[in-house]
Amino acid sequence: MKVLEVVTEAFQFICTVQFWRMAVLWTLSLIFSFLKLFSHTLFLSKSKIYSGGSPQEPKSKAATLRGLPICVITGATSGLGAAAAHALSKEGFYVVLVGRSSELLSKVLSDIRSQNNDACLKAFQLDLSSLKSIIKFKSSIHHWLIDSNIHPSIQLLINNAGILATSCRITSEGYDQMMAINYIGAFCLTKVLLPLLENSPVPSRVVNVSSFTHWNVWDMPADRETVSGTCFLKSRCYPYAQIYEFSKLCLLLFTYELHRQAGRAEKSHHLSVVAVDPGAVKTNIMREIPSCISQMAYIVLNILGLLHSSETGVRAIVDGALAPPEISGVYFFGGSGCCLKSSALSHNVKLAEDLWVTSCDLFQELQLAS
């Protein structure tokens, strides 16, 4: 009976438009991205802008704990977030792991320390779908810095957290949960941590983890209903694949707009912003998809040579984190130190400005509600 239920669930899942959108369009956009990467590395000698190195001025005593720059990573309880925490702790960062589960955070801390005795780590609980939780986190990390007699600043923020929810869920603020975690939470967290980033006496950076799925968005209004995801809640069938694509496009638009604003702001002259795309990585992000289908997808991607493990996929995040301070407003892809040009829509300045205004309005609304 259980086998029949599993088969029925899988059959119903593949008989949806959203499944075929993922299966066909996402695969094609991934292949397209790798073809662009191949052409860039083959014909453009300057496409590779990073080839390894050390953290940005890691020996600055004024901004570090035990001489280490401070890095905050969201979604650090598993997958790419945990892999990034491990990799960057080896690169000389004091890593602050952020996630929803204290139990999983403790496990990741133990795993990293078992492989790296010298790792400097700190963990905080945070629910990115709640502004109250974000503000509480900002207060907690600020007090931690002061209590530890450290300069009140951070040098690196990695907005890595993200989900692929196949069913409709609404946050306490009335937003779609996937948009709230994948984009709004990253925007709000960056906003509240911006003073700490700008206060760094050495160059600081924001790294936003986006996705090749953004290529599948050809048009997007930057109104309140779209950004909060409430317009999708009216759909008869929850368009989870489209919402995921929208959230990743929003992260790119946000990256480029923050880069432009940082370039204009006098106090942000040393703040750089980059987007990274690890490609297809085998993590638990597909946990809500029937296991037989997700496993089949991984097998096909592996056969095509398009699938990375978390340890391999994290290289794109490390590239973005360690690139020289002057590198900003770019899109790293594939973990090869190369940058690609993302979709034309992601470079639409007017759309980015409208998205910024809408996001700031939502942020202010959430602040008042909190």
Side-chain angles (χ1 to χ4, degrees):
M1 187 65 180
K2 189 173 182 180
V3 174
L4 181 60
E5 290 176 357
V6 171
V7 173
T8 301
E9 180 191 17
F11 180 75
Q12 291 175 342
F13 189 83
I14 64 175
C15 291
T16 62
V17 173
Q18 296 303 305
F19 166 77
W20 288 105
R21 187 180 184 95
M22 288 195 304
V24 178
L25 294 184
W26 289 17
T27 302
L28 289 176
S29 60
L30 180 60
I31 293 172
F32 175 71
S33 297
F34 272 107
L35 288 175
K36 285 194 68 173
L37 179 65
F38 177 74
S39 65
H40 277 227
T41 54
L42 188 63
F43 300 111
L44 300 176
S45 60
K46 292 185 179 180
S47 63
K48 189 165 186 175
I49 62 172
Y50 169 71
S51 58
S54 302
Q56 302 165 42
E57 298 189 39
K59 301 302 181 184
S60 175
K61 299 292 184 180
T64 61
L65 181 63
R66 301 180 193 174
L68 306 180
I70 297 169
C71 165
V72 176
I73 305 176
T74 66
T77 53
S78 65
L80 285 172
H86 187 111
L88 292 174
S89 68
K90 287 184 175 180
E91 292 287 348
F93 283 91
Y94 196 110
V95 181
V96 177
L97 296 87
V98 177
R100 283 183 289 180
S101 169
S102 58
E103 182 179 346
L104 290 177
L105 284 170
S106 297
K107 182 180 183 302
V108 174
L109 289 177
S110 298
D111 290 344
I112 294 175
R113 284 174 176 146
S114 67
Q115 300 176 58
N116 180 11
N117 291 329
D118 298 325
C120 294
L121 309 167
K122 180 72 176 177
F124 291 95
Q125 260 189 294
L126 170 63
D127 179 3
L128 275 174
S129 67
S130 165
L131 184 64
K132 288 182 180 179
S133 182
I134 292 173
I135 292 174
K136 180 181 178 181
F137 166 71
K138 192 283 178 85
S139 177
S140 297
I141 192 171
H142 182 78
H143 283 112
W144 171 65
L145 293 170
I146 297 300
D147 293 344
S148 302
N149 197 28
I150 313 167
H151 188 275
S153 65
I154 61 176
Q155 285 63 56
L156 179 62
L157 168 62
I158 300 178
N159 288 312
N160 162 76
I163 62 170
L164 175 60
T166 58
S167 59
C168 177
R169 291 191 288 273
I170 304 173
T171 68
S172 58
E173 288 89 3
Y175 301 159
D176 173 78
Q177 188 187 53
M178 188 153 38
M179 284 298 294
I181 292 176
N182 292 6
Y183 171 65
I184 299 173
F187 179 88
C188 292
L189 180 65
T190 305
K191 284 280 285 184
V192 301
L193 292 184
L194 205 53
L196 292 177
L197 287 159
E198 292 175 338
N199 200 39
S200 174
V202 297
S204 57
R205 169 164 290 161
V206 176
V207 176
N208 291 323
V209 181
S210 187
S211 166
F212 55 88
T213 59
H214 83 275
W215 284 99
N216 297 313
V217 184
W218 299 288
D219 187 30
M220 187 192 85
D223 54 50
R224 186 185 187 283
E225 288 70 28
T226 302
V227 178
S228 65
T230 54
C231 66
F232 301 113
L233 303 179
K234 304 171 185 176
S235 303
R236 184 166 170 265
C237 297
Y238 185 64
Y240 56 88
Q242 289 170 281
I243 298 173
Y244 186 83
E245 296 162 3
F246 269 65
S247 68
K248 294 304 181 178
L249 175 64
C250 285
L251 277 175
L252 278 174
L253 289 163
F254 167 48
T255 298
Y256 300 146
E257 181 59 22
L258 182 58
H259 160 69
R260 284 187 287 268
Q261 294 202 14
R264 293 193 294 263
E266 184 177 341
K267 62 181 179 180
S268 299
H269 69 280
H270 64 289
L271 173 68
S272 57
V273 193
V274 300
V276 301
D277 180 353
V281 182
K282 190 173 183 180
T283 66
N284 65 352
I285 195 169
M286 299 221 312
R287 59 185 175 273
E288 295 189 27
I289 294 174
S291 59
C292 58
I293 295 177
S294 61
Q295 291 304 314
M296 182 61 68
Y298 286 140
I299 290 172
V300 172
L301 289 172
N302 194 42
I303 291 173
L304 294 174
L306 302 176
L307 183 67
H308 297 308
S309 65
S310 294
E311 292 71 25
T312 303
V314 77
R315 291 173 187 166
I317 297 178
V318 175
D319 285 347
L322 301 185
E326 64 271 15
I327 301 300
S328 186
V330 299
Y331 171 65
F332 285 92
F333 176 81
S336 57
C338 294
C339 290
L340 297 182
K341 186 175 179 62
S342 54
S343 71
L345 189 61
S346 70
H347 287 280
N348 186 314
V349 176
K350 176 64 167 59
L351 180 61
E353 291 174 346
D354 290 345
L355 176 65
W356 181 275
V357 172
T358 300
S359 302
C360 287
D361 289 344
L362 290 174
F363 178 66
Q364 290 176 352
E365 288 179 18
L366 291 171
Q367 280 187 309
L368 291 173
S370 298

